[in-house]
Amino acid sequence: MTKTDIKLVVSGFFTLITLLSCSEKTKTAAVETIDNERPNIILLMADDQGWGDTGYNGHPHLKTPNLDKMARNGVVFERFYAASAVCSPTRGSVMTGRHPLRYGICHANCGHIKSEEITLGEMVKKLGYTTGHFGKWHLGTLTRDTVEANRGGRPKFDADYAPPWDHGFDVSFVTESKVPTWNPMITPPKSSGDVRGDLEEGKPFFTSYWTGPGQIATDNLEGDDSRVIMDRAIPFIENAVKSEKPFLSIIWFHTPHLPVLAGGDDREQYANLSEDQQHYYGVISAMDKQVGRLRDKLEELGAAENTVLFYTSDNGPEGKSVSGRTQGITSGLKGRKRSLYEGGIRVPGIMEWQGKIQPDTKIEVPCFTSDYFPTIANILGVDLKKNERPYDGVDLLPIVKGKVKQRSTPLAFEFQKQAALMDNEYKIYSNDGGEHFELYNIVNDAGEETDLSKEEPEILNAMTFVWREWKTSQENSTQENDY
């Protein structure tokens, strides 16, 4: 790389520094507002689905025909990333467009959505949308009175009470955290993975689906959990269409998070494989079936062309290796869930909007879950500068439509003692809290096998400088100086 090239890299990085400056209003890389558009918005998310866990990404066994159709009919992001290496922080990034450490969601079961944050639900409700959240919440507790799940009903977690109905959602059908993927309210066999030792097989799992303050769902809770969730999301969509109201529907599946169990019909197509593979592939195929059911319903309602759909996962696959019920694959990427190497954060990413974006499009520009919020804001003509706070995401539409070929602001990450920053070509990674960084050319070395930190010190230093500037901005947010 020449000195001129290095200067261009550094110059591009300073765009992020300007973006995150506390003295300046927030900007995005480019704004593509579609005047007078009020499309319906659906955000789908799997839980612990690896980069390689789809048919369209070439999995050797797994069948995901409906995700494959969605990919062919929309845009596939070849480098799409979760904002963190575990569930709750990534979900916070979707909900706010901001890195979750800005408001204290550091890990699963850590922190909550603060009342001062502006959520997707709150943003679109001001524009006349009806809003619904279905499936996993994991952004705070749902009760102060009933002991359940990981934190609910325990006095020491009272401050983390932050249910969706207090953050912009009209309709809810949500759990605080994980549930089994089959018969979600019942404790499964220990062989399904991640079952607490004090729980007894066949007895209550002690996590509930909540529909409002003090309201627990009691019917239609048997069988495949993805179907249980979609059975609530589809009536919400039908009612919104009937009422001629635009809607936001967030559908966060538990699949394929442990405990993993699949029904007999969904296992049958994998009968020639091991029992663990049958269950793991079966639950993803069951979830895929519900994605198809949703897309078919939108067509039936005449709403498909006026609906933007997004699909992703909250992080890479569970487990230290492919074994037991942790059968997720990364297709050669280093790391898994809890790692900021590629395998822990690069996840499936699809966007579909019939008639508005070109089908069968592949995007090589790096994008991530923090981009959803500013993308939706710009589609709806919302000026985020008025919120006077830093956003970590950018509008995806100019990228999706081919008007922007390079990302102007890098993707910044921090999780526990790991740190990372990624631009269009390079990535730095640290496992000691940002003291020392490795450097990789992700375009040429997606497996992160060759550390270039000694060969390319100028790029390393430039990217390290920008990560530390971002970290300063994040810490300023943590002190609640954004509100």
mmCIF file of all heavy atoms in Angstrom, residues 361-377:
data_model
loop_
_atom_site.group_PDB
_atom_site.id
_atom_site.type_symbol
_atom_site.label_atom_id
_atom_site.label_comp_id
_atom_site.label_asym_id
_atom_site.label_seq_id
_atom_site.Cartn_x
_atom_site.Cartn_y
_atom_site.Cartn_z
ATOM 1 N N THR A 361 -29.448 -9.827 -5.636
ATOM 2 C CA THR A 361 -28.313 -8.913 -5.515
ATOM 3 C C THR A 361 -27.392 -9.383 -4.398
ATOM 4 O O THR A 361 -27.851 -9.798 -3.337
ATOM 5 C CB THR A 361 -28.803 -7.480 -5.201
ATOM 6 O OG1 THR A 361 -29.621 -7.019 -6.289
ATOM 7 C CG2 THR A 361 -27.638 -6.529 -5.002
ATOM 8 N N LYS A 362 -26.101 -9.334 -4.638
ATOM 9 C CA LYS A 362 -25.103 -9.687 -3.632
ATOM 10 C C LYS A 362 -24.335 -8.432 -3.250
ATOM 11 O O LYS A 362 -23.850 -7.699 -4.119
ATOM 12 C CB LYS A 362 -24.131 -10.740 -4.170
ATOM 13 C CG LYS A 362 -24.804 -12.031 -4.639
ATOM 14 C CD LYS A 362 -25.350 -12.828 -3.479
ATOM 15 C CE LYS A 362 -25.782 -14.224 -3.909
ATOM 16 N NZ LYS A 362 -26.926 -14.219 -4.852
ATOM 17 N N ILE A 363 -24.233 -8.164 -1.967
ATOM 18 C CA ILE A 363 -23.546 -6.980 -1.451
ATOM 19 C C ILE A 363 -22.275 -7.420 -0.725
ATOM 20 O O ILE A 363 -22.333 -8.205 0.221
ATOM 21 C CB ILE A 363 -24.450 -6.182 -0.489
ATOM 22 C CG1 ILE A 363 -25.714 -5.704 -1.201
ATOM 23 C CG2 ILE A 363 -23.684 -5.010 0.123
ATOM 24 C CD1 ILE A 363 -25.479 -4.717 -2.305
ATOM 25 N N GLU A 364 -21.134 -6.903 -1.163
ATOM 26 C CA GLU A 364 -19.854 -7.227 -0.537
ATOM 27 C C GLU A 364 -19.456 -6.201 0.520
ATOM 28 O O GLU A 364 -18.537 -6.444 1.309
ATOM 29 C CB GLU A 364 -18.760 -7.312 -1.608
ATOM 30 C CG GLU A 364 -19.009 -8.349 -2.689
ATOM 31 C CD GLU A 364 -18.850 -9.781 -2.196
ATOM 32 O OE1 GLU A 364 -18.292 -9.959 -1.089
ATOM 33 O OE2 GLU A 364 -19.282 -10.699 -2.902
ATOM 34 N N VAL A 365 -20.117 -5.053 0.540
ATOM 35 C CA VAL A 365 -19.799 -4.017 1.526
ATOM 36 C C VAL A 365 -20.166 -4.527 2.917
ATOM 37 O O VAL A 365 -21.252 -5.072 3.115
ATOM 38 C CB VAL A 365 -20.581 -2.723 1.216
ATOM 39 C CG1 VAL A 365 -20.304 -1.643 2.270
ATOM 40 C CG2 VAL A 365 -20.234 -2.218 -0.178
ATOM 41 N N PRO A 366 -19.296 -4.364 3.917
ATOM 42 C CA PRO A 366 -19.648 -4.810 5.270
ATOM 43 C C PRO A 366 -20.792 -3.985 5.854
ATOM 44 O O PRO A 366 -20.786 -2.757 5.790
ATOM 45 C CB PRO A 366 -18.350 -4.612 6.065
ATOM 46 C CG PRO A 366 -17.597 -3.569 5.311
ATOM 47 C CD PRO A 366 -17.937 -3.789 3.867
ATOM 48 N N CYS A 367 -21.773 -4.660 6.416
ATOM 49 C CA CYS A 367 -22.939 -4.015 7.035
ATOM 50 C C CYS A 367 -23.242 -4.777 8.321
ATOM 51 O O CYS A 367 -22.818 -5.909 8.498
ATOM 52 C CB CYS A 367 -24.144 -4.052 6.098
ATOM 53 S SG CYS A 367 -23.859 -3.265 4.484
ATOM 54 N N PHE A 368 -24.021 -4.143 9.229
ATOM 55 C CA PHE A 368 -24.332 -4.839 10.468
ATOM 56 C C PHE A 368 -25.648 -4.391 11.065
ATOM 57 O O PHE A 368 -26.354 -3.542 10.506
ATOM 58 C CB PHE A 368 -23.175 -4.780 11.455
ATOM 59 C CG PHE A 368 -22.842 -3.446 12.101
ATOM 60 C CD1 PHE A 368 -22.193 -3.436 13.329
ATOM 61 C CD2 PHE A 368 -23.094 -2.224 11.499
ATOM 62 C CE1 PHE A 368 -21.832 -2.240 13.954
ATOM 63 C CE2 PHE A 368 -22.735 -1.033 12.111
ATOM 64 C CZ PHE A 368 -22.113 -1.041 13.348
ATOM 65 N N THR A 369 -26.000 -5.025 12.181
ATOM 66 C CA THR A 369 -27.341 -4.856 12.735
ATOM 67 C C THR A 369 -27.615 -3.433 13.204
ATOM 68 O O THR A 369 -28.779 -3.027 13.275
ATOM 69 C CB THR A 369 -27.576 -5.837 13.898
ATOM 70 O OG1 THR A 369 -26.482 -5.757 14.829
ATOM 71 C CG2 THR A 369 -27.679 -7.267 13.401
ATOM 72 N N SER A 370 -26.599 -2.657 13.515
ATOM 73 C CA SER A 370 -26.816 -1.258 13.882
ATOM 74 C C SER A 370 -27.318 -0.430 12.706
ATOM 75 O O SER A 370 -27.812 0.692 12.903
ATOM 76 C CB SER A 370 -25.511 -0.648 14.418
ATOM 77 O OG SER A 370 -25.113 -1.266 15.622
ATOM 78 N N ASP A 371 -27.206 -0.970 11.491
ATOM 79 C CA ASP A 371 -27.652 -0.234 10.293
ATOM 80 C C ASP A 371 -29.163 -0.260 10.113
ATOM 81 O O ASP A 371 -29.711 0.550 9.351
ATOM 82 C CB ASP A 371 -26.992 -0.817 9.037
ATOM 83 C CG ASP A 371 -25.488 -0.633 9.008
ATOM 84 O OD1 ASP A 371 -24.992 0.313 9.646
ATOM 85 O OD2 ASP A 371 -24.799 -1.438 8.344
ATOM 86 N N TYR A 372 -29.861 -1.180 10.756
ATOM 87 C CA TYR A 372 -31.303 -1.269 10.560
ATOM 88 C C TYR A 372 -32.018 0.022 10.949
ATOM 89 O O TYR A 372 -32.891 0.514 10.213
ATOM 90 C CB TYR A 372 -31.883 -2.422 11.394
ATOM 91 C CG TYR A 372 -31.605 -3.808 10.880
ATOM 92 C CD1 TYR A 372 -31.611 -4.893 11.749
ATOM 93 C CD2 TYR A 372 -31.358 -4.065 9.535
ATOM 94 C CE1 TYR A 372 -31.377 -6.184 11.294
ATOM 95 C CE2 TYR A 372 -31.120 -5.341 9.074
ATOM 96 C CZ TYR A 372 -31.130 -6.400 9.962
ATOM 97 O OH TYR A 372 -30.910 -7.674 9.513
ATOM 98 N N PHE A 373 -31.678 0.558 12.108
ATOM 99 C CA PHE A 373 -32.383 1.737 12.621
ATOM 100 C C PHE A 373 -32.260 2.929 11.678
ATOM 101 O O PHE A 373 -33.278 3.519 11.277
ATOM 102 C CB PHE A 373 -31.855 2.072 14.017
ATOM 103 C CG PHE A 373 -32.659 3.099 14.767
ATOM 104 C CD1 PHE A 373 -33.596 2.727 15.720
ATOM 105 C CD2 PHE A 373 -32.484 4.458 14.532
ATOM 106 C CE1 PHE A 373 -34.334 3.672 16.414
ATOM 107 C CE2 PHE A 373 -33.212 5.412 15.213
ATOM 108 C CZ PHE A 373 -34.149 5.013 16.163
ATOM 109 N N PRO A 374 -31.045 3.356 11.285
ATOM 110 C CA PRO A 374 -30.959 4.494 10.367
ATOM 111 C C PRO A 374 -31.543 4.203 8.989
ATOM 112 O O PRO A 374 -32.039 5.122 8.331
ATOM 113 C CB PRO A 374 -29.462 4.801 10.298
ATOM 114 C CG PRO A 374 -28.778 3.604 10.818
ATOM 115 C CD PRO A 374 -29.715 2.948 11.772
ATOM 116 N N THR A 375 -31.502 2.937 8.558
ATOM 117 C CA THR A 375 -32.121 2.600 7.270
ATOM 118 C C THR A 375 -33.619 2.828 7.319
ATOM 119 O O THR A 375 -34.205 3.463 6.432
ATOM 120 C CB THR A 375 -31.823 1.131 6.916
ATOM 121 O OG1 THR A 375 -30.408 0.927 6.842
ATOM 122 C CG2 THR A 375 -32.461 0.755 5.579
ATOM 123 N N ILE A 376 -34.260 2.323 8.358
ATOM 124 C CA ILE A 376 -35.705 2.505 8.510
ATOM 125 C C ILE A 376 -36.035 3.979 8.702
ATOM 126 O O ILE A 376 -37.007 4.502 8.138
ATOM 127 C CB ILE A 376 -36.220 1.648 9.682
ATOM 128 C CG1 ILE A 376 -36.075 0.163 9.328
ATOM 129 C CG2 ILE A 376 -37.664 1.981 10.019
ATOM 130 C CD1 ILE A 376 -36.245 -0.777 10.497
ATOM 131 N N ALA A 377 -35.217 4.682 9.476
ATOM 132 C CA ALA A 377 -35.443 6.118 9.671
ATOM 133 C C ALA A 377 -35.423 6.860 8.344
ATOM 134 O O ALA A 377 -36.290 7.707 8.077
ATOM 135 C CB ALA A 377 -34.384 6.692 10.611
#
